[in-house]
Amino acid sequence: MPTQETLIPLTGWRRKLYIIIYEADTRPGRIFDLALIVAILLSVLTVILESVQSIQAAWGPQLKILDWCFTILFTIEYALRLICIHKPMRYVKSFFGVIDLLSVLPLYLGLLIPESRFLADIRILRLLRMFRILKLTRYIGEASELKRAMLASRRKITVFLVTVVLLVVILGTMMFVIEGPEHGYTSIPVSIYWAIVTLTTVGFGDITPKTPLGQALASVVMITGYGIIAVPTGIVTAEIARGSGAKAKTVEAVSGTRLCPHCFTEGHDWDARFCKHCGGQLPRPSKGEVS
């Protein structure tokens, strides 16, 4: 049962701030989210340009100032997101909450570890909000189906990966015995590295067998690699097909983009007055605010 505190509705400036920041179906919220997308793209572009030596030499100070401006802007936005909801820790622990926090930390960490500031590119993950903001619910449905298929096939994939690990250990050990240190296979871990690179058909070529027996074994490993690559793809594809055949929840069943300020769950109908998960009252934008 929800507590009495949970059922207290948002009022005043917190309600208005909540509608702007979290309600993508309102006109102010849509403008805010689209402006946020532009700021994210510009901030990522700034970090990318700053990593180019010639551009950094010519515009380094300006780019750094711009990067700090974006970081401060996102820090303020993150703080506002916490202020206008009842349970801030729910947002902090949510997927987007973690991404939003990670997007502002790199530049502050850069004061201690200079190169870490380039990790600010993680802000690009914030663009996942576009699927909600632009109402691309079809893509949300497809992503949910892919997630379901991955979870359903996790045991099979785990067995497959364990088998591959055992295989590369055996192949690496065999190659160490056959080729030896004189041909670059200086230890079993190095030979296992070669087996992984060869089995996955990457083939860096930094270590290659020299003896006929070693080359024969390498040929077997490479041919086996082509067959192994298809296994996880087939497992996931089968689960996707099974989900489609069972008439999984369709895209049309996905509700709107409204979020509950109490339990921070989304998917509520536009005309809903209370959260279907915790029972808390949902803020209702005025007619002038609806896009």
Side-chain angles (χ1 to χ4, degrees):
M1 291 295 293
T3 62
Q4 185 66 25
E5 181 183 358
T6 303
L7 298 177
I8 298 176
L10 292 173
T11 57
W13 63 270
R14 290 184 67 195
R15 174 185 174 278
K16 294 180 180 179
L17 189 61
Y18 174 86
I19 290 173
I20 293 174
I21 294 179
Y22 287 106
E23 296 289 356
D25 288 332
T26 65
R27 186 174 293 109
R30 192 174 181 83
I31 293 173
F32 172 82
D33 287 331
L34 291 176
L36 183 61
I37 288 175
V38 173
I40 293 170
L41 290 173
L42 290 177
S43 68
V44 171
L45 179 61
T46 300
V47 175
I48 293 174
L49 292 178
E50 194 176 356
S51 68
V52 180
Q53 291 297 327
S54 57
I55 297 178
Q56 202 276 338
W59 301 93
Q62 292 87 343
L63 290 174
K64 188 167 294 186
I65 292 173
L66 195 59
D67 198 10
W68 270 110
C69 289
F70 284 122
T71 299
I72 294 172
L73 176 66
F74 293 143
T75 302
I76 295 173
E77 179 229 347
Y78 182 78
L80 292 177
R81 286 182 180 274
L82 297 178
I83 290 173
C84 66
I85 55 177
H86 284 294
K87 302 289 184 179
M89 287 307 299
R90 289 185 183 271
Y91 169 73
V92 172
K93 296 177 182 178
S94 67
F95 173 76
F96 283 115
V98 172
I99 295 299
D100 291 346
L101 179 60
L102 292 178
S103 69
V104 300
L105 287 181
L107 207 59
Y108 296 121
L109 292 176
L111 297 175
L112 301 176
I113 309 174
E115 296 303 319
S116 66
R117 72 183 190 278
F118 293 112
L119 294 176
D121 267 2
I122 199 174
R123 292 169 185 167
I124 198 74
L125 291 177
R126 301 192 70 192
L127 293 182
L128 291 173
R129 279 194 173 92
M130 283 196 301
F131 293 112
R132 289 182 58 251
I133 296 166
L134 301 181
K135 301 181 181 180
L136 301 178
T137 53
R138 182 174 301 276
Y139 294 94
I140 296 177
E142 296 299 333
S144 299
E145 177 62 19
L146 181 59
K147 178 182 177 182
R148 185 206 62 79
M150 293 292 290
L151 291 175
S153 58
R154 64 186 181 277
R155 293 185 179 87
K156 296 177 183 177
I157 293 178
T158 300
V159 173
F160 165 76
L161 291 177
V162 170
T163 303
V164 171
V165 170
L166 297 177
L167 186 60
V168 296
V169 171
I170 294 173
L171 292 173
T173 303
M174 290 175 62
M175 189 59 73
F176 173 72
V177 173
I178 294 171
E179 294 290 330
E182 62 272 16
H183 293 147
Y185 297 83
T186 56
S187 64
I188 290 179
V190 171
S191 301
I192 291 174
Y193 157 78
W194 170 87
I196 294 173
V197 170
T198 306
L199 193 65
T200 56
T201 71
V202 175
F204 289 135
D206 51 345
I207 306 174
T208 55
K210 301 298 189 298
T211 64
L213 185 57
Q215 291 171 348
L217 179 60
S219 299
V220 173
V221 174
M222 286 183 276
I223 293 173
T224 304
Y226 282 107
I228 286 179
I229 289 175
V231 174
T233 305
I235 293 173
V236 177
T237 302
E239 290 296 338
I240 292 176
R242 185 179 303 174
S244 300
K247 296 182 180 180
K249 188 178 293 184
T250 60
V251 175
E252 287 75 13
V254 179
S255 300
T257 60
R258 301 183 68 192
L259 278 96
C260 173
H262 308 281
C263 65
F264 209 69
T265 56
E266 62 179 336
H268 305 286
D269 295 332
W270 180 248
D271 57 351
R273 297 179 59 189
F274 299 94
C275 174
K276 57 187 177 183
H277 300 283
C278 71
Q281 185 172 347
L282 298 173
R284 301 192 66 183
S286 61
K287 292 183 178 180
E289 294 173 320
V290 180
S291 57

